[in-house]
Amino acid sequence: MSRNFRVMGILNITPDSFYDGGSYFASTDKIIARALQIVNEGAEIIDIGGESTRPGSLPVELNEELDRVVPAVEEIRRRFDVEISIDTRKSQVAQEALSAGANWINDVSAGRNDEKILKIIAKYNATAVVMHSRENPRTMQNNPHYDNVLDDVKAELKESVKFFLNAGVSKEKIILDPGIGFAKTYEDNMALTADLDKISFDGYPILYAASRKRFLAQAIGSNTRSRLCGGLAAVAQAYLCGATIFRVHDVIETIDFLKVLSNVAGDRKEV
């Protein structure tokens, strides 16, 4: 049976990402080893980030982010037949990374930080992850508020999608992300996970990214490195609500979990 889900493995080339900051920073050998692990464990996409977007994080200078990301893309593209996603808010990083062989742009600001990124995505016919957030990583958790988180997130995603379409990005290349952990309270993250299908519209695939995030610890009372089981519970609910792409740190565990769940629950849709 073919899979009806896809897994995106996370590769953070940063000193300060919330879970694995520093693990692969400034070491080509460690970057390649992590990419090989992601591929061997069965992920179809590698998501490379050169700037932490955890709550409270500060922006990285353009040249620093380029120096982190572009060589990694070149090395991974040379070695592996895998889709490469770039987690960036900067148009020039997107340009250089796509030119080096990346396929996706995963911009947590959905173009709000640098509108030029939309035209670059369109130019390269890249896949675009349109994520919901507000403000910026440094301030986004300062008392976020929604009248109704499901309705508000859906409405704001619709507005973001319009910007992408108007910039020339193909509808078939757009993927929605509810932005778990981005300008959301614990209750917001839980509500979005519980009823993820209610933010869906126009047939766009949904990417769910809750791996190791803080709201899981709030639910189970654990530290960062023991959030796997809680994360898989969230993945299960998101899958049952129609999510088909999962951005995770724990690739093989997520794939094995989803293989069983998809057989138990029955196929939902092919990606």
Side-chain angles (χ1 to χ4, degrees):
M1 181 187 300
S2 62
R3 288 187 198 168
N4 56 358
F5 61 86
R6 305 180 82 190
V7 168
M8 171 188 280
I10 298 169
L11 173 51
N12 286 320
I13 309 173
T14 62
D16 58 343
S17 290
F18 79 94
Y19 174 66
D20 54 1
S23 297
Y24 315 107
F25 181 65
S27 171
T28 301
D29 288 345
K30 288 182 179 179
I31 290 168
I32 296 306
R34 173 58 177 160
L36 178 61
Q37 178 188 18
I38 289 171
V39 171
N40 283 346
E41 289 185 354
E44 298 177 35
I45 312 143
I46 297 176
D47 190 53
I48 300 172
E51 176 185 58
S52 175
T53 52
R54 61 180 172 78
S57 61
L58 297 174
V60 170
E61 292 294 327
L62 172 62
N63 287 339
E64 176 66 19
E65 189 174 347
L66 285 168
D67 287 345
R68 294 176 185 180
V69 168
V70 176
V73 173
E74 292 172 341
E75 290 295 325
I76 292 169
R77 175 53 63 227
R78 187 163 65 86
R79 288 172 167 82
F80 306 113
D81 182 18
V82 64
E83 292 183 60
I84 300 173
S85 169
I86 302 301
D87 185 349
T88 187
R89 298 179 293 159
K90 299 182 180 73
S91 61
Q92 192 167 337
V93 174
Q95 168 82 41
E96 296 296 327
L98 291 169
S99 180
N103 314 93
W104 294 41
I105 297 298
N106 180 14
D107 175 5
V108 300
S109 78
R112 290 179 291 108
N113 182 73
D114 182 352
E115 289 186 12
K116 294 178 183 176
I117 203 168
L118 306 181
K119 291 291 187 183
I120 290 168
I121 293 169
K123 173 184 174 183
Y124 283 87
N125 196 31
T127 298
V129 178
V130 179
M131 198 192 85
H132 177 273
S133 186
R134 290 176 174 175
E135 299 192 33
N136 59 65
R138 184 173 60 85
T139 62
M140 64 186 179
Q141 290 303 113
N142 294 345
N143 195 32
H145 171 76
Y146 301 88
D147 293 329
N148 179 299
V149 69
L150 293 164
D151 292 344
D152 292 352
V153 167
K154 182 174 183 176
E156 290 170 30
L157 280 172
K158 283 186 173 182
E159 288 301 309
S160 293
V161 166
K162 286 180 184 177
F163 287 122
F164 279 73
L165 294 173
N166 290 339
V169 178
S170 171
K171 182 180 186 293
E172 290 70 30
K173 291 289 187 175
I174 290 175
I175 294 167
L176 304 180
D177 180 346
I180 299 295
F182 284 78
K184 312 288 191 307
T185 65
Y186 168 81
E187 291 79 11
D188 295 333
N189 292 318
M190 285 297 188
L192 284 164
T193 301
D195 290 306
L196 193 61
D197 54 316
K198 293 182 180 177
I199 71 158
S200 179
F201 60 93
D202 294 346
Y204 291 111
I206 295 177
L207 181 150
Y208 185 75
S211 181
R212 303 284 178 169
K213 288 185 177 177
R214 185 177 303 172
F215 84 105
L216 299 170
Q218 290 177 262
I220 61 180
S222 71
N223 64 29
T224 302
R225 294 189 176 273
S226 57
R227 297 177 189 173
L228 172 59
C229 292
L232 292 176
V235 163
Q237 181 62 19
Y239 174 83
L240 294 173
C241 284
T244 54
I245 307 167
F246 299 87
R247 180 182 182 272
V248 300
H249 298 88
D250 306 287
V251 171
I252 196 165
E253 293 86 350
T254 304
I255 288 176
D256 285 352
F257 179 86
L258 284 168
K259 282 180 178 177
V260 175
L261 180 61
S262 64
N263 279 280
V264 171
D267 286 351
R268 298 183 63 85
K269 66 173 85 172
E270 293 294 327
V271 178

